[in-house]
Amino acid sequence: MKDKRVYAAIVVALACLLPLGLDEYKLHVVINSLFYVMMASSWNLLAGYTGQVSFAHAAFAGIGAYTSGILSVKAGFNPWAGIVIGMAAAGFVGFLVGVLCLRMGGIYLSLTTLGFSEILRIIITNEYEITRGTMGLQVPALMPVYSKTAYFYIMLGAAVLSLIVIYKMIYSDTGLNFRAVQNDEKAASSLGVDVVRIRVMAFTVSSILAGMAGGFYGHYLLLITPEIPSLDQQFLVLSMAVIGGLGSFVGPILGAFTLEILAEYIRGYGQYHVLVFGLVALAMARFSPRGVMGIVSDYKRRRNQSLIAAGELRG
Amino acid sequence: MALLDCVQMSKRFGGVPALQDVSFSLNKGEIVGLIGPNGAGKTTLFNLVAGAIKPTEGRVFLKEIDITGLPAHRICRFGIGRTFQVTRPFAELTCLENVGVAIINRPRKLKGESWREKGMEYLEQVGLLQEAQTRAGDLNLIAKKKLEMARALASNPEILLLDEVLGGLNTQEIGQAVSIIKGLRDALGITLLWIEHIMGAIMGAADRIILLDQGRKLLEGTPAEVVRDERAIRAYLGED
Ligand SMILES: Nc1ncnc2c1ncn2[C@@H]1O[C@H](COP(=O)(O)OP(=O)(O)OP(=O)(O)O)[C@@H](O)[C@H]1O
Ligand SMILES: [Mg+2]
């Protein structure tokens, strides 16, 4: 536990040095990656730890981004205050969707959240007066003088904050309750777990975090489009978490960086990257449901077992 | 005043009666055996008491408080624990984590002790200490049944509902398990309602027997009375 914290501190400290060595474009890719780290990790909290495979996560990022964007453009809000209100809005809607999905599991929950996501996208696209539709809504920056380096540190701070919340949660009693609910709701409730509370809590918290990711990202891009709450985006986030490793803390972080960087290379050959990632994620879900991190931990376990066995043989 | 009172409980599944007009009480510190042929409604009765399903009619009182229809987690927190006939381990969690779930959801929090330390005590009690770090899904059936017990105990129940925990054990293991179960009452004062098909075990351990047949309570009495009863022999005991 202690040295994990030290590792994390070292990684963050090294990350702080990145702007020294990266050009504008590469810094942009890293900022994108940090957005996806927040998205994939908070989706993992919901899907990987409570088993609620929601397709509305990008939609919640959209709620965060549009709430903050519209408030700052139409009502003159400070973007930072806008982001906080956007988080609250995403959390509130997430709470409602969580309640709506309470009696659902598996494919029904996925389809319901997919429907919600599409409805939201259609509303945003059609409410041109407020959202500027597919043209996109121009929003103010987070600082008086635009600076990519400053944005990098802001996104890094947001990502670290988000990850601390997630880490604390999954290694607390609540995290154990999440996993119990994912494994068997009936058994969990027979042992005193308030399944309704746990499921709705996971939806609410992960939606707040998605809203935060969307809010910051929108004010970084300076142009909010229905691309943020799109299904494309949802499938990309899903692929990152599934390939990296559902139900592991590190998996989605690695998945987000790897896939975002790969996407930048593949993008040259047309918009096929989401399709490719989707297929890899499907294969992963079929053959290694716990993703790359699952393969790593299985390998470690087998090696430990054979070491123990070898030790026993020697006496 | 009885610890638990069930009054005229009925349950129909889509019009088909599984349980009809069953009433009974549990007194503190009793071991009560619930027996009857397959499909008699024994597990259904457990599900009604534990809040897993709601009764069509009837009421459940715990210390004279009406707990009918409360959600399962609240009934657990009121002090009624249960095991499942078909075991339901949290397959991806370790045995220790399985037990931990029960500990962290108690209404009274642990003081100065973590659920990991406390959990080991329960695993030891049922003989699963070696398997503390094993994935529950990897256990064999007997170990899974032990885990069901450990988990239910870890929720610190006043009343424990045991659903066929001896199935699959050999004679020697049955002896051990029965002495563990008796110990729960003798040492911890837990009141037990226990479904079992193994007559040798339940008749020796129970203070009182309730016989269900086709959803109805056929009779109730001491083990000695029940084994001699004509109706019991015709409905159930004569089978083997
Ligand atoms: N969820 C359900 N839906 C429909 N019918 C059910 C359900 N649960 C139980 N039943 C029916 O209710 C009746 C009683 O079943 P129950 O499981 O309570 O019997 P049991 O006494 O526990 O039997 P066994 O000794 O085989 O465990 C059976 O006819 C069963 O098919
Ligand atoms: Mg049964």
Side-chain angles (χ1 to χ4, degrees):
Chain A
M1 202 71 166
K2 263 268 154 52
D3 37 273
K4 267 188 193 159
R5 251 180 236 172
V6 175
Y7 284 136
I10 293 172
V11 170
V12 174
L14 287 177
C16 285
L17 301 176
L18 277 176
L20 295 177
L22 296 180
D23 60 29
E24 288 264 299
Y25 169 70
K26 285 189 178 134
L27 206 52
H28 170 70
V29 174
V30 174
I31 292 173
N32 276 346
S33 303
L34 289 169
F35 166 68
Y36 285 116
V37 165
M38 290 190 248
M39 290 299 288
S41 293
S42 53
W43 187 73
N44 177 41
L45 185 68
L46 183 64
Y49 282 87
T50 72
Q52 302 181 93
V53 182
S54 161
F55 282 8
H57 209 56
F60 291 120
I63 291 175
Y66 274 98
T67 304
S68 176
I70 291 168
L71 284 177
S72 51
V73 173
K74 310 268 169 183
F77 272 67
N78 179 309
W80 290 88
I83 291 173
V84 173
I85 299 171
M87 289 165 67
F92 179 66
V93 180
F95 169 84
L96 294 181
V97 173
V99 170
L100 175 71
C101 291
L102 265 178
R103 300 244 163 266
M104 301 175 199
I107 190 78
Y108 298 101
L109 186 144
S110 298
L111 286 177
T112 305
T113 49
L114 189 108
F116 166 78
S117 173
E118 272 300 273
I119 290 167
L120 188 80
R121 191 187 58 81
I122 291 167
I123 292 173
I124 289 172
T125 313
N126 288 335
E127 288 299 321
Y128 183 85
E129 287 302 313
I130 306 169
T131 64
R132 295 279 151 214
T134 47
M135 293 282 292
L137 183 69
Q138 281 190 322
V139 299
L142 287 168
M143 67 282 287
V145 185
Y146 186 92
S147 149
K148 232 180 197 117
T149 311
Y151 267 113
F152 165 78
Y153 286 115
I154 289 170
M155 285 302 264
L156 183 64
V160 169
L161 178 68
S162 182
L163 289 175
I164 289 174
V165 170
I166 292 167
Y167 189 90
K168 289 243 169 212
M169 207 149 194
I170 60 184
Y171 289 105
S172 69
D173 288 359
T174 305
L176 188 56
N177 279 334
F178 277 11
R179 290 162 63 217
V181 167
Q182 172 175 31
N183 273 261
D184 191 327
E185 291 189 10
K186 281 217 176 85
S189 61
S190 85
L191 297 172
V193 180
D194 187 344
V195 174
V196 167
R197 196 179 131 259
I198 289 293
R199 287 185 59 155
V200 174
M201 186 203 289
F203 244 107
T204 311
V205 173
S206 79
S207 302
I208 292 172
L209 295 176
M212 175 168 88
F216 277 110
Y217 197 50
H219 287 287
Y220 163 66
L221 296 176
L222 304 182
L223 183 73
I224 304 174
T225 66
E227 188 97 318
I228 294 180
S230 70
L231 283 179
D232 263 19
Q233 189 88 275
Q234 174 63 46
F235 283 114
L236 186 55
V237 169
L238 178 151
S239 305
M240 288 165 168
V242 169
I243 293 173
L246 274 185
S248 106
F249 176 73
V250 181
I253 303 175
L254 294 180
F257 272 102
T258 314
L259 264 58
E260 166 58 19
I261 291 167
L262 275 178
E264 288 303 319
Y265 282 104
I266 305 177
R267 209 158 267 164
Y269 306 98
Q271 289 289 336
Y272 286 114
H273 60 282
V274 175
L275 180 68
V276 174
F277 294 157
L279 289 175
V280 177
L282 266 183
M284 215 38 140
R286 169 71 185 75
F287 295 107
S288 173
R290 279 155 49 245
V292 171
M293 290 310 288
I295 296 174
V296 171
S297 71
D298 282 351
Y299 170 77
K300 271 194 195 156
R301 204 178 51 199
R302 239 174 278 132
R303 200 188 48 183
N304 281 347
Q305 273 167 359
S306 59
L307 283 179
I308 292 168
E312 277 167 1
L313 277 183
R314 250 180 268 128
Chain B
M1 160 191 139
L3 183 56
L4 184 83
D5 282 297
C6 290
V7 185
Q8 299 183 318
M9 308 277 288
S10 297
K11 178 69 190 180
R12 284 185 290 276
F13 290 109
V16 184
L19 209 63
Q20 291 182 68
D21 212 19
V22 173
S23 302
F24 71 95
S25 301
L26 294 180
N27 299 309
K28 184 153 182 53
E30 261 189 317
I31 298 181
V32 175
L34 187 58
I35 64 171
N38 293 115
K42 305 181 292 296
T43 299
T44 303
L45 186 59
F46 267 26
N47 285 334
L48 295 180
V49 173
I53 56 177
K54 296 194 191 329
T56 314
E57 277 152 53
R59 312 227 63 92
V60 186
F61 298 92
L62 177 64
K63 296 178 196 166
E64 293 182 336
I65 298 167
D66 191 345
I67 59 165
T68 320
L70 288 183
H73 73 273
R74 293 205 49 204
I75 290 186
C76 169
R77 291 177 189 184
F78 273 130
I80 301 182
R82 60 115 23 121
T83 67
F84 291 94
Q85 178 177 358
V86 180
T87 59
R88 310 187 73 118
F90 303 122
E92 303 291 332
L93 273 57
T94 66
C95 289
L96 182 57
E97 287 170 333
N98 265 266
V99 173
V101 172
I103 298 173
I104 63 175
N105 287 288
R106 288 178 180 183
R108 266 185 230 97
K109 298 289 167 229
L110 288 182
K111 291 197 193 82
E113 201 180 9
S114 75
W115 62 261
R116 290 171 198 281
E117 292 165 313
K118 190 79 190 159
M120 294 304 265
E121 291 174 20
Y122 291 101
L123 292 179
E124 181 167 22
Q125 209 168 347
V126 300
L128 277 181
L129 210 48
Q130 295 296 318
E131 286 81 5
Q133 300 304 334
T134 306
R135 248 180 101 255
D138 293 339
L139 297 174
N140 65 30
L141 182 63
I142 292 172
K144 278 181 184 154
K145 293 216 167 189
K146 289 179 176 172
L147 184 61
E148 283 282 328
M149 282 267 285
R151 239 172 27 170
L153 283 173
S155 68
N156 200 20
E158 219 172 321
I159 299 175
L160 182 56
L161 313 175
L162 295 173
D163 199 344
E164 295 195 26
V165 284
L166 302 183
L169 302 186
N170 66 32
T171 324
Q172 192 200 345
E173 290 163 338
I174 288 175
Q176 288 168 354
V178 169
S179 66
I180 292 177
I181 293 169
K182 276 181 155 169
L184 299 179
R185 191 266 308 264
D186 298 339
L188 305 171
I190 298 175
T191 305
L192 297 170
L193 181 61
W194 179 7
I195 298 176
E196 199 51 72
H197 278 298
I198 299 169
M199 288 305 114
I202 191 84
M203 291 296 182
D207 303 310
R208 197 147 55 89
I209 297 286
I210 296 170
L211 172 60
L212 285 187
D213 184 36
Q214 295 178 23
R216 290 181 183 279
K217 186 164 99 175
L218 195 62
L219 65 114
E220 181 177 341
T222 63
E225 287 164 357
V226 171
V227 287
R228 271 186 274 111
D229 195 289
E230 271 298 310
R231 290 166 297 171
I233 293 166
R234 228 178 301 126
Y236 180 52
L237 299 177
E239 277 177 13
D240 36 45

